Amino acid sequence: MAKEKSDVSSMEVDDQISTNPKFSINVLQLLKSSQMQHGLRFGDYTRYRRYCTARLRRLYKSLKFTHGRGKYTKKSITASTVTEVRFLHLVLYTAERAWSHAMEKRQLPDGPNARQRSYLIGRLRKAVKVVYEELGKYGDLENQVLCRERVEELEPSIRYCLHKIGESNLQASELVHIGEIEGPALDLFKAKLEAVMDEARSQQAASMTEFHWLGHRFPISNAKTRVSILKAQELEKELNDRKEGALPSEKRLAVFDKIFAAYHEARSSIRSDLANAGNSENMKDDLSGLDKAIGAVLGQRTIERNQLLVSIAKSKLSKTRDEKNEKVTKPEELVRLYDLLLQNTADLSDLLSSGRDRKEEEVALSEECELKSLIFRAERCFFLGKSYSSAGKRTEAYSLFSLARSLSEKALKKVQSVATHDQAMVKELETLYKDCRSNSCIEHAMGIMEHEKAPNDLSKKISAVSISANGNDKKGEKFLVEKLDAYESAVADSSTRVAPRIAAFQPSFQAIPRNPIVLDLAYNTIDFPSIENRMKKDKKGGFISRLWG
């Protein structure tokens, strides 16, 4: 809805002001700055209205243009009263206050009632139109850009109004595209647009009686489930219709989140119906099959979303930090993403194998999951090898690159064996195979070089070992405790980074005397004489001998 400006009832502005060449203001730039800084960035019209009221109060006082002290006396702004540009600000902020007050009333929880609606219309009548397309033809380049942005913000509202009055036949996908446009005053418009789309989905859902999935047909009796599935399918169609580079990655991720929310809402309705199904086995089987089908579709979309995250991470892998100071991807982050993908494919495979009567389409999807799992394993090994390589662990990195090479070769053969194989996937696997081979050769060469250099580096380190704790100190330099009789500074200049030389810490090693070590080598070879005849013998006897002994 085009925003209307100016206050007609409280202020009568002479037409000569617009032709007065003395004063001019950049309306669009001033308003955009005020709106962004005072609430409209978050759709807070109450905060913006209060700001306009406070701004008008300050302007009236600073200009000494109050409407009387005791009794209200209206003052009109004419060409003769405009002595500076701030008088034009009075007109502008009065219109902004009226507009923001009207928008505030529209945000009531139950909508404005009849009395509030008439008040809302009265506030909007206090504004006049600003023709941005005409304004955009004049002024400097910055003013033209601002006008063009405002026209783009107003265009969705105009198209929506034309759709409501029947002068435009917009499809649901076009309404979705309109809802993606960002702007400071489009929150209410988006809420109404979502309500219109929900109404359109409800009408379309009436004709949706079955959900088709991999050769199965599941009846849908719950209207809420139909609407949720229809919403998810519309979002999926939007992703598929747009080309890869047409929609930015951030918006594609946002669309995926909406798809997940819609399918989770559908599963919640299905499980609620399943809990209330009673003893009807046929209904339980249909609802269980529908829940399984929705879960499988969710698993597929989760894999697609995580693959999108992988592509985003790969694009930042070899970059350095740019002017936006974006975070550079590390190999460990890609390893984590591939762990998630492996878990996703395992969950989807388990779900597909849980049924008894499997269709050919289910078997084909299960085989595709196995192939994707093999590819993800190869990619994971490759980036795990990158991680070990950056840590200088050549043996582990070489082993991982070799394993990734064999896995990619196996996956490439499987893909090529399929009659209708994906050429893009074949190209990616060939690139991965070549990267694994080149990186394994590099790691092998680096490992040999480091092995050859190891003895030399070790000998250099051993030759530098000294018994003195301060062996690296320069000759002739003494510590303060060693030259107390000489007046020499032991603290360096503040502009240098040399450490003060007070005392050596840790204290240096010193040679100390100790007892000699004696090794008695002859002890074990000496034959000593027998001394058994000198040993005391125990006496044994009878009772009488013990009495007389």
Side-chain angles (χ1 to χ4, degrees):
M1 185 181 71
K3 191 166 47 159
E4 304 174 347
K5 305 294 174 190
S6 174
D7 189 343
V8 177
S9 64
S10 63
M11 295 184 181
E12 296 177 356
V13 184
D14 199 307
D15 293 339
Q16 296 178 0
I17 295 179
S18 60
T19 60
N20 192 343
K22 292 183 180 180
F23 308 108
S24 65
I25 55 174
N26 193 330
V27 177
L28 212 54
Q29 186 175 9
L30 179 63
L31 291 185
K32 193 175 181 88
S33 173
S34 300
Q35 291 173 358
M36 292 295 101
Q37 295 178 16
H38 300 282
L40 285 197
R41 184 187 296 273
F42 310 104
D44 191 351
Y45 294 100
T46 304
R47 177 184 168 192
Y48 185 60
R49 177 182 61 81
R50 290 173 180 171
Y51 163 73
C52 292
T53 302
R55 177 67 176 157
L56 284 171
R57 188 183 299 114
R58 291 194 298 269
L59 285 171
Y60 281 129
K61 287 185 178 180
S62 62
L63 292 171
K64 298 181 180 179
F65 195 70
T66 56
H67 299 285
R69 175 168 295 180
K71 183 179 178 181
Y72 176 80
T73 304
K74 185 178 74 172
K75 290 185 179 181
S76 302
I77 297 179
T78 61
S80 58
T81 58
V82 179
T83 58
E84 57 175 294
V85 72
R86 286 186 294 169
F87 282 95
L88 302 182
H89 288 194
L90 284 173
V91 181
L92 191 61
Y93 281 105
T94 303
E96 284 291 288
R97 181 179 62 178
W99 171 78
S100 59
H101 198 180
M103 297 299 288
E104 179 186 354
K105 292 297 182 183
R106 287 186 61 184
Q107 284 187 321
L108 294 174
D110 300 328
N113 54 31
R115 182 179 178 183
Q116 291 168 340
R117 187 180 296 276
S118 62
Y119 179 75
L120 184 151
I121 296 173
R123 296 301 294 168
L124 289 177
R125 281 174 182 166
K126 292 185 178 181
V128 295
K129 188 175 180 183
V130 177
V131 187
Y132 292 114
E133 289 188 2
E134 293 298 322
L135 289 175
K137 298 178 182 178
Y138 310 103
D140 55 6
L141 181 61
E142 183 179 1
N143 181 67
Q144 294 180 20
V145 171
L146 288 173
C147 290
R148 186 66 249 173
E149 289 178 355
R150 185 53 60 91
V151 170
E152 291 176 355
E153 291 175 4
L154 295 176
E155 185 179 359
S157 300
I158 296 171
R159 293 178 65 187
Y160 168 73
C161 293
L162 291 175
H163 174 71
K164 289 295 288 183
I165 63 178
E167 295 185 7
S168 175
N169 295 324
L170 291 176
Q171 302 298 325
S173 59
E174 293 177 320
L175 290 174
V176 173
H177 297 167
I178 292 175
E180 293 176 355
I181 301 175
E182 299 293 336
L186 293 179
D187 47 355
L188 290 176
F189 164 71
K190 289 184 177 181
K192 287 187 172 293
L193 187 62
E194 187 65 28
V196 170
M197 294 177 65
D198 288 340
E199 182 181 354
R201 291 191 193 103
S202 299
Q203 295 175 357
Q204 294 179 15
S207 60
M208 182 181 182
T209 59
E210 293 180 336
F211 181 74
H212 300 269
W213 175 74
L214 299 181
H216 295 279
R217 292 186 177 185
F218 301 102
I220 308 174
S221 58
N222 192 328
K224 189 176 180 181
T225 305
R226 294 175 184 173
V227 172
S228 300
I229 293 175
L230 191 61
K231 180 179 180 180
Q233 289 177 345
E234 287 177 359
L235 293 167
E236 289 173 345
K237 187 174 182 297
E238 179 189 357
L239 280 179
N240 296 329
D241 289 345
R242 295 195 182 188
K243 295 182 180 179
E244 187 69 24
L247 197 64
S249 300
E250 291 77 11
K251 290 191 175 181
R252 290 179 68 85
L253 291 174
V255 174
F256 272 117
D257 292 338
K258 293 179 182 178
I259 292 173
F260 296 152
Y263 276 130
H264 282 302
E265 186 177 354
R267 293 191 80 181
S268 177
S269 301
I270 293 169
R271 291 177 179 180
S272 178
D273 293 340
L274 192 59
N276 300 325
N279 297 324
S280 178
E281 295 297 331
N282 292 332
M283 184 179 292
K284 285 184 176 180
D285 290 340
D286 291 337
L287 289 173
S288 299
L290 182 59
D291 183 65
K292 173 186 174 182
I294 298 297
V297 174
L298 265 173
Q300 289 177 278
R301 300 299 167 262
T302 304
I303 292 174
E304 292 173 4
R305 178 184 179 274
N306 288 338
Q307 284 180 306
L308 177 60
L309 291 175
V310 166
S311 63
I312 295 172
K314 282 184 177 179
S315 65
K316 299 178 182 179
L317 183 63
S318 58
K319 290 183 178 179
T320 56
R321 292 184 182 269
D322 55 7
E323 62 276 2
K324 296 182 181 180
N325 200 23
E326 291 183 349
K327 184 180 178 181
V328 180
T329 304
K330 295 181 180 180
E332 294 84 355
E333 298 177 19
L334 282 162
V335 172
R336 182 182 60 83
L337 288 174
Y338 279 112
D339 284 335
L340 289 176
L341 283 168
L342 287 170
Q343 184 63 44
N344 298 148
T345 52
D347 293 341
L348 184 56
S349 297
D350 293 340
L351 187 62
L352 292 171
S353 60
S354 61
R356 288 175 291 180
D357 299 330
R358 300 178 66 187
K359 301 282 186 179
E360 294 181 1
E361 293 85 349
E362 289 183 81
V363 176
L365 183 57
S366 181
E367 293 175 354
E368 183 182 349
C369 288
E370 292 179 4
L371 179 59
K372 284 185 176 180
S373 178
L374 185 60
I375 296 173
F376 295 153
R377 284 181 60 201
E379 293 273 6
R380 182 184 180 277
C381 284
F382 176 77
F383 287 105
L384 190 59
K386 283 280 190 182
S387 176
Y388 275 98
S389 176
S390 61
K393 298 181 178 180
R394 306 299 176 191
T395 305
E396 293 85 350
Y398 175 79
S399 301
L400 286 167
F401 284 134
S402 300
L403 178 59
R405 178 183 175 185
S406 63
L407 290 174
S408 60
E409 184 179 10
K410 185 178 179 181
L412 184 59
K413 290 180 180 179
K414 278 193 174 184
V415 173
Q416 291 175 343
S417 64
V418 180
T420 58
H421 57 266
D422 189 359
Q423 292 293 337
M425 186 180 294
V426 170
K427 188 175 180 180
E428 289 180 4
L429 286 172
E430 289 176 348
T431 304
L432 178 62
Y433 178 81
K434 293 177 182 177
D435 290 343
C436 292
R437 184 175 182 275
S438 60
N439 278 275
S440 61
C441 293
I442 291 172
E443 294 302 321
H444 191 195
M446 292 293 294
I448 292 174
M449 290 173 60
E450 292 177 0
H451 180 73
E452 293 294 330
K453 289 172 62 178
N456 296 331
D457 295 340
L458 183 62
S459 61
K460 289 180 180 179
K461 292 178 181 179
I462 292 176
S463 62
V465 173
S466 173
I467 196 173
S468 175
N470 52 345
N472 295 328
D473 295 336
K474 297 179 181 179
K475 293 183 178 180
E477 288 192 36
K478 295 182 179 181
F479 291 97
L480 179 62
V481 295
E482 299 173 354
K483 51 180 182 180
L484 293 177
D485 55 341
Y487 187 76
E488 294 181 9
S489 176
V491 181
D493 189 10
S494 60
S495 61
T496 61
R497 296 185 179 180
V498 180
R501 298 181 61 80
I502 307 298
F505 187 84
Q506 299 279 347
S508 59
F509 293 102
Q510 296 180 359
I512 58 173
R514 60 155 298 162
N515 296 331
I517 298 174
V518 178
L519 299 177
D520 195 348
L521 300 177
Y523 178 80
N524 295 328
T525 59
I526 296 175
D527 293 331
F528 294 97
S530 177
I531 56 174
E532 292 182 357
N533 55 347
R534 298 183 184 180
M535 296 176 64
K536 187 176 179 181
K537 295 181 180 180
D538 296 334
K539 295 181 179 180
K540 296 181 180 180
F543 176 74
I544 298 176
S545 62
R546 286 202 300 271
L547 289 175
W548 298 98

